[in-house]
Amino acid sequence: MTDKPVILVPGKIHPRVIERLQPRFELLQTPPGQPVELDETDAARVRGIAIAGAVPGALIDRLPNLEVIANFGVGYDGVDVAKAASRNVIVTNTPDVLDDEVADTTIALLINTIRRFYQAETYLREGRWQSEGPFALSPLSLRGRHVGLYGLGRIGGEIASRLEPFKVKISYHTRSEKPGVAYDYRPSLLELAKAVDTLICIVPKTPETHKAINADVLKALGPNGVFISVGRGWSVDEPALISALKDGTIAAAGMDVFYEEPKVPAEFLNLPNVSLLPHVASASVPTRNAMADLVADNLIGWFENRTVKTPVPETPVK
Ligand code: NDP
């Protein structure tokens, strides 16, 4: 035992978080995929948590001296923030440092979905270019598209500014119209879907966004429609999307996030008009290092001088 503050690290986290925390804290690491097992003495010693996963209210309840939870990721839906706030426990996330990477990935996924580059490359690798001739023309194009952003926050804004040079029309829906934003605002998701032919989902996981992308929204998007999912799989009614892709209600979809990760419905794998990524939008070494540094900086800042860089809005300190 040392007199360093004790940080609980449940399950797996980026190794750089451990590397940065190790010299200043005593770390209690628990095995991945299992509920956290701590005796009462250890539970009472925990003052901080570093997490890339879930912190349920029941865990917070068991830690009487918990002060801060540092979440690896901008989406902190795995952390019971209401419970944390009720206990005056600070929660931090990792915004800003991943916006550009996620926005870049979104544009790549959009173009890949529309122009079928994965299929084209596979065709070349299989030697079919030589044996069968040129790859089939892609039925879809980004040219002349009208893109709707469901969510226009830090990442949505970066996606929109990247879309501008592509000369597409841009509209958006959020709960409140953004002052000073020139893009066309639609007061509901359904109205946005009716107006556009390309829909990008980049809202957080909240009760209101659950299965928001449903059969009605997909029908409104229409037969030339392309849907891109980079927010959370939670926001998509996957059976409705699979039906829409199968029967031509929409033309194609690109997905980085899924309802029950890492499980991906087999139907998606068998569809020719989807582009699928295993939740990699922020997954480059430099960006994940920056996220890891922010997790460590928040914990170090809190225990050195009671400041955190990136508290979530629900948290008791600003
Ligand atoms: P922000 O909080 O900056 O932006 C969220 C946006 O969603 C805001 O424009 C907000 O506007 C809008 N929004 C929230 N709730 C609703 C709602 N019920 N209806 C309509 N609009 C809504 O978040 P970020 O841009 O930083 O991140 C967004 C999400 O992207 C994260 O929460 C995370 O889940 C996901 N993400 C996915 C990644 C991946 O690897 N695929 C990587 C990083 C993030 P308003 O408040 O006006 O409604």
Side-chain angles (χ1 to χ4, degrees), residues 269-285:
L269 306 183
N270 297 325
L271 281 168
N273 50 348
V274 289
S275 182
L276 305 169
L277 297 176
H279 201 148
V280 293
S282 69
S284 71
V285 169

Side-chain angles (χ1 to χ4, degrees), residues 75 122 181 214:
T122 305
V181 166
N214 58 24

Side-chain angles (χ1 to χ4, degrees), residues 26-274:
E26 181 185 335
L27 302 184
L28 286 183
Q29 293 184 254
T30 65
Q34 290 173 31
V36 174
E37 304 273 356
L38 285 181
D39 61 31
E40 250 179 65
T41 314
D42 272 344
R45 294 170 61 231
V46 171
R47 294 176 62 195
I49 297 180
I51 185 73
V55 181
L59 176 58
I60 297 173
D61 277 338
R62 282 164 48 210
L63 307 173
N65 297 311
L66 183 64
E67 296 169 40
V68 57
I69 301 170
N71 182 69
F72 184 97
V74 66
Y76 51 96
D77 41 83
V79 179
D80 188 337
V81 273
K83 168 68 74 177
S86 76
R87 283 267 319 275
N88 265 342
V89 170
I90 289 147
V91 178
T92 64
N93 63 343
T94 60
D96 307 319
V97 294
L98 47 58
D99 298 351
D100 288 328
E101 200 76 77
V102 178
D104 290 353
T105 309
T106 305
I107 300 296
L109 181 58
L110 171 67
I111 296 178
N112 212 25
T113 303
I114 289 178
R115 296 294 319 283
R116 305 175 70 232
F117 289 137
Y118 170 74
Q119 290 91 328
E121 184 168 343
T122 305
Y123 186 84
L124 178 153
R125 286 176 185 274
E126 289 172 351
R128 295 170 64 193
W129 185 15
Q130 214 169 353
S131 60
E132 296 175 35
F135 183 67
L137 305 183
S138 62
L140 305 174
S141 170
L142 188 60
R143 304 294 95 241
R145 281 196 170 262
H146 184 173
V147 181
L149 282 148
Y150 175 41
L152 194 72
R154 290 171 295 242
I155 300 171
E158 288 297 338
I159 297 171
S161 61
R162 278 162 178 71
L163 283 169
E164 284 181 27
F166 287 99
K167 297 178 263 184
V168 292
K169 236 172 114 180
I170 301 172
S171 300
Y172 75 100
H173 167 67
T174 51
R175 287 166 301 180
S176 52
E177 191 169 355
K178 306 288 165 210
V181 166
Y183 310 127
D184 160 59
Y185 176 71
R186 300 287 161 148
S188 75
L189 172 58
L190 194 59
E191 285 191 44
L192 179 70
K194 279 182 190 157
V196 303
D197 53 28
T198 308
L199 182 63
I200 299 176
C201 178
I202 185 66
V203 286
K205 176 178 174 179
T206 68
E208 302 86 63
T209 62
H210 187 225
K211 296 190 179 175
I213 307 296
N214 58 24
D216 291 341
V217 167
L218 295 166
K219 190 162 177 241
L221 197 56
N224 189 35
V226 172
F227 170 61
I228 302 295
S229 189
V230 280
R232 283 285 183 264
W234 161 269
S235 303
V236 180
D237 180 341
E238 286 184 346
L241 176 60
I242 289 163
S243 299
L245 287 161
K246 274 187 181 164
D247 68 16
T249 300
I250 68 165
M255 324 268 296
D256 182 52
V257 289
F258 298 88
Y259 198 87
E260 220 187 323
E261 294 175 6
K263 287 189 204 152
V264 176
E267 281 123 314
F268 277 132
L269 306 183
N270 297 325
L271 281 168
N273 50 348
V274 289

